[in-house]
Amino acid sequence: MRKKGKRRGRGERAKRRTRPYPYEFRIKMVRLYLEEKYSTTVLRDQFGVSGHSVQRWVKAYRQRGTEGLIAKPRTGSKPKLTETVKRRVVGMKKKHPEYGPRRIADVLKRFFMVPVSATSIHKTLSEEGLTQKTKPKPVKNLAKPRFFERSRPNQLWQSDIMTFRLAGRNAYLIGFLDDYSRYITSLGLYRSQTAAHVLETYRRGIAEYGVPREMLTDNGRQYTNWRGKTRFEREMKKDRVKHIRSRPQHPMTLGKIERFWKSIQGEFLFRAQFDSFAQAVERTAYWIKYYNYK
């Protein structure tokens, strides 16, 4: 005789999710699973998503790329975007090709008071042929999952140096980024990458925002030296800042500020023309304010 399954109580039924997960959440779970090698058990414990859902999203991503992660509209549901909003989305994408669905959604909500999901925007852009299908990235062999984000501002800053060509010569951006907010606490543009310039940029940041508890850098000579303490390390000790150095051959540890370098290159440096180095310094400072606040 078959045993009857236990009926779920009202409280248990109420916990079931009735709305689909948003597009940005799905792609985040897929990338954590494929690129960061998080197990479904870890994702379930940390984000409350079932392993079955993660596996289903991964399969869809491998078959159709990011298109496969768009939630299918329910039958009979009303269109999410009006024609006016669609025209504004398409116009914004054509004016700013570097903007993704999430950024367009943020701009519409913040500056035009139009709440639109990134999923709806992605669908609209796909219909207009304004999206590019991304190839799934190869799986990386990482040793273990890495949850890496502080819980509030000024707990940890990341610092790095980026080299680029300006007027036929090397120029260097020295940056400090807050790990929690991704806010640029200090940035300097120089013709050389000396320890003195690193300290100048750091001191300018703490003068405005205070001293962080921890500092994450790579093993560049401006930050650390195996033969003794560098000026930067002595400054960290004086300010009682814990200095954390990334492992060699693991640049992804500084992933947040590396992503910022990509943004400032694609959205500003590759497009701008400067009459002089002094003008480059001035206009870069203006762009940082734009980045931090808009």
Side-chain angles (χ1 to χ4, degrees), residues 95-162:
K95 184 177 181 181
H96 301 282
E98 73 278 8
Y99 282 14
R102 179 182 291 183
R103 185 162 183 181
I104 293 176
D106 290 340
V107 172
L108 289 176
K109 182 178 180 181
R110 184 172 182 182
F111 298 103
F112 299 97
M113 304 302 174
V114 179
V116 183
S117 70
T119 303
S120 299
I121 292 175
H122 188 279
K123 182 180 178 182
T124 299
L125 296 177
S126 297
E127 292 172 350
E128 296 292 330
L130 296 175
T131 59
Q132 294 180 349
K133 292 185 178 180
T134 57
K135 296 180 180 180
K137 295 182 180 180
V139 177
K140 300 178 181 179
N141 296 320
L142 298 181
K144 58 182 179 180
R146 294 174 289 108
F147 292 104
F148 188 68
E149 183 175 279
R150 294 302 188 261
S151 59
R152 60 180 182 271
N154 255 23
Q155 280 192 310
L156 172 71
W157 287 6
Q158 295 187 14
S159 181
D160 193 32
I161 302 174
M162 186 192 77

Side-chain angles (χ1 to χ4, degrees), residues 160-175 187-194 218 221-223 257-258 260-262 264-265 269-270 277:
D160 193 32
I161 302 174
M162 186 192 77
T163 307
F164 67 102
R165 298 292 288 180
L166 180 61
R169 295 173 53 192
N170 279 352
Y172 304 91
L173 282 173
I174 300 174
L187 185 133
L189 175 59
Y190 303 96
R191 280 298 188 188
S192 60
Q193 49 176 336
T194 64
D218 60 17
R221 57 184 174 82
Q222 297 84 359
Y223 298 112
I257 196 165
E258 292 285 356
F260 168 74
W261 293 143
K262 183 177 179 180
I264 195 172
Q265 282 183 311
L269 294 176
F270 290 164
F277 185 75

Side-chain angles (χ1 to χ4, degrees), residues 228-266:
K229 295 291 183 181
T230 62
R231 294 176 59 186
F232 184 80
E233 288 174 318
R234 291 196 296 270
E235 189 84 2
M236 293 298 98
K237 184 176 181 180
K238 177 178 70 69
D239 290 344
R240 298 182 180 179
V241 178
K242 181 180 178 182
H243 186 197
I244 305 171
R245 291 167 292 277
S246 62
R247 287 190 297 160
Q249 309 302 321
H250 283 75
M252 67 284 291
T253 307
L254 289 161
K256 294 183 179 68
I257 196 165
E258 292 285 356
R259 182 62 183 84
F260 168 74
W261 293 143
K262 183 177 179 180
S263 295
I264 195 172
Q265 282 183 311

Side-chain angles (χ1 to χ4, degrees), residues 44-59:
R44 181 197 64 200
D45 295 341
Q46 293 292 328
F47 300 98
V49 59
S50 69
H52 173 73
S53 296
V54 175
Q55 294 290 355
R56 180 161 47 87
W57 298 337
V58 169
K59 181 179 179 180

Side-chain angles (χ1 to χ4, degrees), residues 33 60 67 123 202 220 248 294:
Y33 181 84
E67 299 281 345
K123 182 180 178 182
Y202 164 73
K294 293 189 178 180

